Amino acid sequence: MSSPRITLDRSSPVPLYFQVAEQLERAIVSGEIGAGERLENEITMAQDLGLSRPTMRQAIQVLVDKGMLVRRRGVGTQVVHGQVRRQVELTSLFDDLAAAGQHPRTTVLEQLLVPADEQVAEQLQVDLGEPVWSLRRLRFIAGGEPLAVMHNYLPSSIVDLGDVDLEAQGLYSYLRDAGFVIRVARQSIGARGVRPVEARLLREEVDAPLLTMQRTAYDNLGRAVEFGRHAYRPGLYSFDVTLVDR
Amino acid sequence: MSSPRITLDRSSPVPLYFQVAEQLERAIVSGEIGAGERLENEITMAQDLGLSRPTMRQAIQVLVDKGMLVRRRGVGTQVVHGQVRRQVELTSLFDDLAAAGQHPRTTVLEQLLVPADEQVAEQLQVDLGEPVWSLRRLRFIAGGEPLAVMHNYLPSSIVDLGDVDLEAQGLYSYLRDAGFVIRVARQSIGARGVRPVEARLLREEVDAPLLTMQRTAYDNLGRAVEFGRHAYRPGLYSFDVTLVDR
DNA sequence: GAGTGGTCTAGACCACCGG
DNA sequence: CGGTGGTCTAGACCACTCT
């Protein structure tokens, strides 16, 4: 039965439930609360912190959703076994790698307006043939090895990529700066053989397998903001997903 | 501004927030509430249904977590654009396909106790060399085409696979029947070239790309129940994931 | 300023689990 | 049976967005 020390700052703009969730998460990843260990019950924890029970529950729910805690009615809440993996999050590969301490380099191969093909039109909810930004980039990891070919499409009606330097910053980072709040993304992950052009860019053999990802991202207005077709070298990248039953 | 008709059954054991979420989801999927359309505000909806606002919020939150709704403070709640895709859920491939109306056939290639190798021992939290169930299966889609080679490992200390017919039912279905409640699973999705044995089983060319998935599943006690290394034919299968920022 | 979602409180009753 | 999480109520104040 574990009860890590948690401190609250009621003058902070950070919500109380989030402060609690953050500190609980730190206690779990640091090992202060070990795998399989049980937490103090919700009501006691709430009282100890001077919080109401719903607020305490909200804090715990955050970690349940991350797959770090498991609740059982009548029994209690405990830490899931197994090492904690970093989650796939709503960032581009650039931010992903930057966060992981890598220093990714990017080459822009193409950045221009093209007419939307059928799939792009459908995904971005624009008319067939309507001009959309086409952005093809080659991404390298720290050592200079090519990692991925990324092809993004953005509706020209809501984004202007004309003057943006996407070798200096990631696409998602730019979109955030431009005021887009990405809330939802739908990804489909598959595999296929490398194509000749890609083989040259990625320095792969013919017949090499590639990991592919298609993604459509939506902002907080529900609009499709970006659609991408990407190909990764499978030795250098994989997608980690945590599924939680609720 | 849309307000679908929702009926509540207060005598039902199904939670009220869930009844609301279900009916809202149906209204969205069916198109009764169109993409981009705004919902009535939380307080009004709650009053109309005779619910408290927190309960109404909980119902909406379910659909926000599924990536179907987007909330904006000061503005409202609206339906995300784009067609709704079926989610990856905590079921085995068998259940997945069965639910999709396919009738998968399965051949068990191997079902015996083996000593845990390093990766299995780590994932299942058992000692190196400890006996674990090794289950190798070949899965076919309706037409008889081979779809995937699946290799699962289960700790013999908590599961007994000695007498189980896993050609008749899926692994996850069996685990549920045996009292295991799978709550969390961590998956890693990648790609690689087909191996000779697999090529024969899956009727693929040499050098064909395969989609791979490793998964460790945990039950509601936080214990690792199953670890699997699987390979899929990419033309026949892909992983669809919805990411939601919260 | 009016309207929205975001957070928080202080209770209540219930369903389920274990001893 | 006692203890736990699951659900639900009826409010409150705040932050943000739009007009």
Side-chain angles (χ1 to χ4, degrees), chain A residues 86 93-105 139-145 147 236-237:
Chain A
R86 205 171 53 81
L93 181 55
F94 186 96
D95 306 312
D96 253 26
L97 295 171
Q102 309 276 354
H103 295 285
R105 191 166 65 79
R139 169 111 342 134
F140 301 85
I141 58 173
E145 281 278 294
L147 168 65
L236 301 176
Y237 199 69

Side-chain angles (χ1 to χ4, degrees), chain A residues 65-72 78-85 88-90 122-123 125 182-193 207 209-211 215-216 218-224 234 238-246, chain B residues 65-72 78-85 88-90 122-123 125 182-193 207 209-211 215-216 218-224 234 238-246:
Chain A
D65 288 343
K66 288 191 180 185
M68 306 179 68
L69 292 178
V70 181
R71 292 203 257 223
R72 274 189 302 157
Q78 58 184 295
V79 178
V80 172
H81 286 86
Q83 79 290 12
V84 184
R85 277 194 231 163
V88 180
E89 274 162 19
L90 267 176
E122 187 193 335
Q123 291 298 318
Q125 314 275 321
I182 305 295
R183 272 290 152 72
V184 181
R186 304 218 165 95
Q187 300 187 170
S188 184
I189 303 166
R192 58 169 169 78
D207 289 329
L210 287 186
L211 185 61
R215 165 164 62 186
T216 308
Y218 303 85
D219 69 2
N220 61 357
L221 280 99
R223 303 180 298 191
S238 65
F239 290 94
D240 292 348
V241 187
T242 298
L243 302 179
V244 180
D245 188 23
R246 349 219 273 120
Chain B
D65 289 344
K66 288 192 180 183
M68 306 179 67
L69 293 178
V70 181
R71 291 205 258 226
R72 276 188 302 156
Q78 59 184 295
V79 178
V80 171
H81 285 87
Q83 78 291 11
V84 185
R85 278 195 230 164
V88 180
E89 273 161 21
L90 267 174
E122 187 194 335
Q123 292 297 321
Q125 315 274 323
I182 305 294
R183 274 290 152 73
V184 181
R186 304 217 165 95
Q187 300 188 170
S188 184
I189 302 166
R192 59 170 169 76
D207 289 330
L210 289 186
L211 185 60
R215 164 163 64 185
T216 308
Y218 303 85
D219 69 2
N220 61 357
L221 280 100
R223 303 180 298 190
S238 66
F239 292 94
D240 291 349
V241 187
T242 298
L243 303 177
V244 180
D245 188 23
R246 344 219 274 118

Side-chain angles (χ1 to χ4, degrees), chain A residues 45-79:
Chain A
M45 289 182 79
Q47 280 174 348
D48 289 353
L49 292 171
L51 292 174
S52 69
R53 185 182 165 210
T55 302
M56 193 62 224
R57 270 183 72 74
Q58 194 177 359
I60 292 172
Q61 189 61 43
V62 172
L63 302 186
V64 171
D65 288 343
K66 288 191 180 185
M68 306 179 68
L69 292 178
V70 181
R71 292 203 257 223
R72 274 189 302 157
R73 187 195 313 223
V75 179
T77 303
Q78 58 184 295
V79 178

